[in-house]
Amino acid sequence: MNCTGDEVEEEYGSADLYLDLAVLLYEAGATVQRVGDSVRWLAGQLGDEKIHISVGHEVIELSVHHGDHTETRLYVLRDPIKVNVSVLHQISGILHQIPSYHKNITLIRDSLTAVKTMPPAYPVPVILAGTGIACAAFGWLNHADIPALWVIFLSAVCALSIRFRFGKELNNLYLSTLVTALSGGLCAAVLAPFSQTQTPQVALISSVLFLIPGAMLINGGLDIIRDHTGCGIARLTSVFTQICIISGALLIPLGMMAPAIQIPSQFDIITFIPTMSLAAGIAACGFGILFNTPASVLTGCFVCSAVARFIRETGIYIGADPFFSLFIGMSIATVIAAGIGRYARVPEVLLSVIAGIPMVPGLAMIQGLQGLFTLAHGGTTQPDQILIYALQQMLFAGVAILALVGGIIFPIIIIARKKLRI
């Protein structure tokens, strides 16, 4: 086969371009389906109809057929996934403008490089403050008292600062999670006595909420449902491992706290539901900042989370099942997120996850964990009652999380069933 130098460079450049796109999408938190759809759509725009891409949890393999030969590219994923909504937003904009590039691979690659190297949408102090406020708002949702909110804010800022400072040096997702969770928990345990809070355990779990891998959990479920079973199972296994590490790390500071959890009396119902909805919206905005969500989309995050919380609290108030109320609330929020995502060109999955994080049953999780911790000490009175209570709380938290996940996944499957994800 006779080819000029430019032709050879263009053919080989296209394979590299597709791989660069796939890696950027996956490492920014995209689902396997979005990665595949985006790469195949770009290849079709550039005239490459025979392309195959396989996305695994640690490897991306890509092959492009050019006449009588095939180019293969392989990329080993080493860095942990960091959800970056701005990157996905920018890439979606580039793909929708591909015709304007006139099949110039160099220009497209330069645009992708610019996205890869662009600075975060928010400076580090804003990310730290936003995350601290989000965690404090989550503590308020779980009936933390006023002194506990300061403990949560300071502990979350401290833990996230340590993650930023030492995360790359540790070079391991699970070790970084362990160090961050332990740092945040110990900070909360040290600050709680000085603040005279009556809800120290709520402060403890709220301080490390940002470590919960919600995006990986939802993506893993969607990957399995869409027949990307290997990658989905790997993602869910990673989620389970991280949750176990977080729970184990919290046992040490948990032992430094008083065994009882005192919950303040609830507000009058006229102010309670709006207050909880407002707190959920604030928390979602804070987590949106942590996930590098464009500022123009933060309002959507607020609306989705506030609506979900409003429906949940209203359902519980009128006597509906709490799990059903949670499912309906998240389903409606996900439908809203899908509309916002389509308009703003951001994945509706990540908007739904950001809106759903404040709905995590943090109080039940820490009560169950504390019960199991109490049983681990000898001489405990009434061990049967403590065990039953701990298991009840753990079971409640587990079912609530299933309702939360279902409220995100099922609407997305219905809405985006035949939609091209680019």
Side-chain angles (χ1 to χ4, degrees):
M1 178 178 180
N2 295 325
C3 297
T4 65
D6 291 340
E7 292 173 338
V8 172
E9 182 181 357
E10 181 177 345
E11 291 179 355
Y12 278 85
S14 64
D16 294 330
L17 178 67
Y18 305 146
L19 183 62
D20 288 343
L21 174 61
V23 172
L24 266 176
L25 287 169
Y26 189 83
E27 291 185 341
T31 62
V32 173
Q33 190 69 45
R34 178 174 290 273
V35 174
D37 284 356
S38 298
V39 170
R40 282 187 285 268
W41 187 86
L42 176 59
Q45 294 294 308
L46 297 181
D48 291 323
E49 300 295 338
K50 296 181 179 180
I51 182 172
H52 171 77
I53 179 171
S54 176
V55 180
H57 186 61
E58 296 181 342
V59 176
I60 295 179
E61 183 179 1
L62 182 144
S63 60
V64 184
H65 300 277
H66 294 292
D68 59 353
H69 72 281
T70 301
E71 297 179 47
T72 301
R73 298 290 185 271
L74 185 68
Y75 185 89
V76 179
L77 298 161
R78 297 181 178 87
D79 296 330
I81 294 174
K82 299 178 181 178
V83 177
N84 194 324
V85 181
S86 288
V87 167
L88 299 177
H89 169 70
Q90 293 293 333
I91 291 177
S92 178
I94 292 173
L95 293 179
H96 281 86
Q97 296 174 3
I98 286 297
S100 65
Y101 287 87
H102 304 292
K103 298 185 178 181
N104 189 319
I105 292 177
T106 301
L107 291 179
I108 300 174
R109 179 179 295 174
D110 290 343
S111 296
L112 293 181
T113 302
V115 171
K116 184 177 181 179
T117 57
M118 70 178 182
Y122 310 95
V124 172
V126 174
I127 297 175
L128 293 175
T131 303
I133 292 173
C135 292
F138 177 80
W140 185 259
L141 291 170
N142 286 273
H143 311 293
D145 56 17
I146 299 298
L149 300 183
W150 289 104
V151 175
I152 296 169
F153 177 85
L154 295 175
S155 301
V157 170
C158 176
L160 186 57
S161 298
I162 291 176
R163 188 180 183 91
F164 283 163
R165 173 61 181 83
F166 299 104
K168 292 183 178 180
E169 295 181 9
L170 294 173
N171 197 30
N172 183 280
L173 171 63
Y174 304 115
L175 184 58
S176 175
T177 300
L178 173 62
V179 172
T180 306
L182 187 58
S183 300
L186 290 175
C187 184
V190 171
L191 292 176
F194 295 99
S195 68
Q196 298 182 345
T197 175
Q198 299 300 308
T199 56
Q201 287 82 2
V202 179
L204 177 66
I205 188 67
S206 301
S207 301
V208 297
L209 179 68
F210 64 90
L211 290 174
I212 301 297
M216 186 177 290
L217 172 64
I218 300 300
N219 283 349
L222 287 173
D223 289 341
I224 291 176
I225 293 175
R226 292 169 176 166
D227 293 329
H228 306 291
T229 308
C231 189
I233 291 177
R235 279 177 158 170
L236 294 182
T237 302
S238 179
V239 169
F240 177 77
T241 303
Q242 292 179 64
I243 292 177
C244 289
I245 290 174
I246 296 170
S247 301
L250 293 181
L251 288 178
I252 297 177
L254 186 62
M256 302 167 58
M257 294 180 170
I261 296 180
Q262 301 179 19
I263 302 176
S265 59
Q266 292 186 346
F267 298 98
D268 180 81
I269 194 63
I270 297 177
T271 59
F272 179 74
I273 294 180
T275 300
M276 292 294 102
S277 301
L278 177 63
I282 293 173
C285 288
F287 291 120
I289 293 175
L290 178 63
F291 293 155
N292 203 38
T293 305
S296 59
V297 188
L298 290 180
T299 302
C301 296
F302 180 94
V303 171
C304 292
S305 189
V307 168
R309 192 77 191 194
F310 182 86
I311 294 174
R312 175 189 180 275
E313 299 295 347
T314 302
I316 294 175
Y317 175 70
I318 64 177
D321 181 80
F323 305 121
F324 180 74
S325 301
L326 176 57
F327 175 81
I328 294 299
M330 278 312 306
S331 297
I332 295 176
T334 301
V335 173
I336 298 174
I340 296 174
R342 183 171 300 180
Y343 174 78
R345 292 180 180 173
V346 295
E348 65 277 2
V349 175
L350 297 183
L351 290 183
S352 301
V353 169
I354 292 172
I357 292 178
M359 309 287 283
V360 173
L363 183 60
M365 293 170 63
I366 195 63
Q367 285 179 325
L369 185 63
Q370 185 183 24
L372 296 178
F373 179 81
T374 303
L375 285 175
H377 291 72
T380 302
T381 59
Q382 298 180 331
D384 292 342
Q385 289 84 346
I386 295 176
L387 177 60
I388 291 173
Y389 178 76
L391 292 179
Q392 284 177 336
Q393 294 301 308
M394 288 292 190
L395 183 60
F396 177 89
V399 176
I401 291 176
L402 287 177
L404 176 64
V405 172
I408 296 175
I409 289 181
F410 290 142
I412 288 178
I413 293 174
I414 296 173
I415 294 172
R417 181 177 50 185
K418 297 181 180 180
K419 175 187 172 184
L420 187 65
R421 300 165 186 88
I422 61 171

